[in-house]
Amino acid sequence: MTDLVTTDGVPGAREADVDKPVRRSRRMTGPQVVGHARATAAVCQAAGCLSAQSDQVFEEITAQLIADGVTDVAVKRVGCLGLCAAGPLVEVPETGELFRQVSPDDVSDLVTRLKDAKPVETKPALEPFFSRQHRVVLENCGKVDPENIDDYVSRKGYRGLTRAVTELTPQQVIDEISKSGLRGRGGAGYPTGLKWATVAKQPSGEKYVVCNADEGDPGAFMDRSVLESDPYRVLEGMAIAAYAVGASHGYVYCRAEYPLAVQRLKAAIHRAEKAGYLGAAIAQSTFKFTVELRLGAGAFVCGEETALIASIQGGRGTPVPRPPFPAASGLRGKPTLINNVESFASVPVILREGGEAYAQVGVGKSRGTKVFALAGRIVNGGLIEVPLGIKLRDVIFDIGGGVPDGRKFKAVQTGGPSGGCIPEDLLDMSVDYESLLAAGSFMGSGGMIVMDDTSCMVDVARYFMDFCREESCGKCVPCRVGTTELHMMLTKITEGRATLADLVQLESVAAMVRDTSLCGLGQGAPNPVFSTLRYFRDEYLAHIVDHVCPAGVCALSGGESVA
Amino acid sequence: MLRLGHRPDALIEVLHTVQQSFGYLDDDALRYVSTSLHVPLSKAYGVATFYSLFTLRPQGEHTCVVCTGTACHIKGSTMILNRIRSRFGIGPKQTTADNQISLLTARCLGACSIAPAVVYDGEAKGKQAPDDVIARLEEW
Ligand SMILES: Cc1cc2nc3c(=O)[nH]c(=O)nc-3n(C[C@H](O)[C@H](O)[C@H](O)COP(=O)(O)O)c2cc1C
Ligand code: FES
């Protein structure tokens, strides 16, 4: 698995995988390693595995190695190893072994293996979950200790920033980003180079760079994993952006539901300042950039950029109509660059390896790779990164391992509450911005939720409408009233009380909400309804005409009920 | 508050800190925050009610947060809520009569690959079956 980075064509440093000197911090450290470590137990310390006691796994392995007097095996805390559903995970990079569901009560097997582990020339063939991926943004994820800046630097960290500020003009940096073809990873896919150029050409003076780490889409955890596993990469990307657009201050707006990400970011900001990668005279140049962290407080709409700005300023997160776009007038009325976590995390590689190298992978106008979070009814739930243009079927069946328990795949939901459900017939489509849009869905931030025949598509549509209804900020009428109205109609259908006339009305109200809402929340809210009507109209009809829920989810009152 | 500076734009951070220390935001707390940060009380109140993570009422001894995000919904978080309601008689945002357990919901905790996820007094757990949840709550 260590080879993932190298074999995939993006040269990644191997040197840091082994033998990091054992640290000195308040945290319990690994065993004292004398000389070079022969093997390393890399224990995942991202949120998924931590909730299954991976911190105790770390401590147990360490304790046993110390008790047995082993001095040439290191134990290391790393970020997300990807296969979250099988956590706690421990990887031994030297042998390519991945241990799953390691219980803190029983690490003796693992310790025995570690004691006689030897680095191997040819590692065991990777399973499709790993071999079909292409890791660029996640190149360090599960490799570096997220709290150790030296580890990041030893894996080519900060080379992109150093190159930018010492060798390139801001315009050349923007050109590099434009050449890469990178598009916003937060949802809409706006070309990143173009956005940077717009902010750069505003009159000089106070400007801001803002990282959108609100990750509000339910069922998505890409940004969380990146922040928890490789926080310096995001800060490096922000610093490069600041240099390019002429900003000297930035904010990360992170949702408060992610305490670990917040904690690691705080630590990373502090250490990057001490190491001279944030603050004054970055990388020995005259460039200056500082970053502050701001917390959300549980409002989905704050992911929308104008609402986010209102929230950073300490107010209620209500959107305002654009234009003016934040690029011209954003935070405190100053030109503001807002990008998503993953967009910023893609930037260091682009500056390090060049925009053209980055654009090598991809399809059409969707270049590079995209991180997805696989969840729902899928065997290998977890964090993955794939080249854009990969077939949806390959993502779900090769990488994801398909649907568990011998059940039948029904749909995959992408794009969160503004997205849609893609049915089985379309599984051979390419995963890119345009194709997803054409299929009535949306790239969104990267959550993919797989559903099988136990999910009712009307219930799913109702679920998302309930979400939008609750999260509507209430400022504009079509969204505030419309989502409530739509939710009532969908409830009526799931309860078996609707008629065919209601279905007609559902469609017309949905179109009205889409066309007249103020911001993306309301405009996108009807999308799950449209997409389920487009591909699963028969399920609506079953509820309305036959009074049955084919999946057995809804409790229908009218007529007979199957539930 | 000193650490954050008395800046009006630090309102959300300050409210987080106050809630962490006292468990909820009462009138006195909001009044104090509004004078110290020089923001109108109406704004402090407006912000405190806009964001769902802020609560204006005291919580029970223990809190249980059930994720109702998409992945958890697909994997049966509704069943968990139903079971809690029938066993303890509380729904989301409610506290048991003996003030022991407060039930809350969240829209995705980012633990979707181990759905359904539940947080017990700040400790997140994945793959929770309704029985696991009930057993855990009964210990409180
Ligand atoms: C209702 C709504 C919620 C959004 N939530 C997020 C979010 O959680 N994270 C995010 O990065 N972008 C979110 N966006 C998109 C942002 O408005 C913005 O387009 C994005 O942060 C720009 O960054 P990018 O160009 O790098 O994608 C949301 C948009 C809308 C309308
Ligand atoms: S949907 Fe429950 S953790 Fe994401």
Side-chain angles (χ1 to χ4, degrees), chain A residues 491-515:
Chain A
T491 306
K492 210 167 149 190
I493 300 178
T494 55
E495 290 177 351
R497 296 184 288 112
T499 62
L500 287 173
D502 290 319
L503 196 58
V504 177
Q505 209 198 349
L506 177 74
E507 285 181 272
S508 80
V509 175
M512 189 272 293
V513 173
R514 175 190 62 200
D515 298 337

Side-chain angles (χ1 to χ4, degrees), chain A residues 51 53 84-85 218-219 221 224 255 294-298 311 313-317 332 376-377 449 459 463 466 470, chain B residues 7 9 11-13 16 46 50-53 68-70 73-75 107-110 112-114 124-125 127:
Chain A
S51 74
Q53 278 106 30
C84 314
F221 51 92
R224 166 181 198 153
R255 66 197 298 245
R294 280 297 150 96
L295 292 189
S311 186
Q313 296 179 153
R316 295 164 65 105
R332 305 188 184 99
R377 301 277 177 193
I449 295 150
D459 174 68
Y463 168 82
D466 183 40
E470 273 185 26
Chain B
R7 286 166 29 197
D9 67 354
L11 179 58
I12 295 176
E13 265 65 25
H16 269 301
F50 181 85
Y51 294 96
S52 63
L53 287 185
T68 57
T70 321
H73 177 74
I74 300 286
K75 293 240 178 142
R107 294 291 197 179
C108 191
L109 303 160
C112 327
S113 49
I114 48 171
K125 286 275 159 221
K127 301 184 184 167

Side-chain angles (χ1 to χ4, degrees), chain A residues 320-337:
Chain A
V320 291
R322 304 171 303 176
F325 285 90
S329 169
L331 199 55
R332 305 188 184 99
K334 307 291 184 206
T336 303
L337 174 74

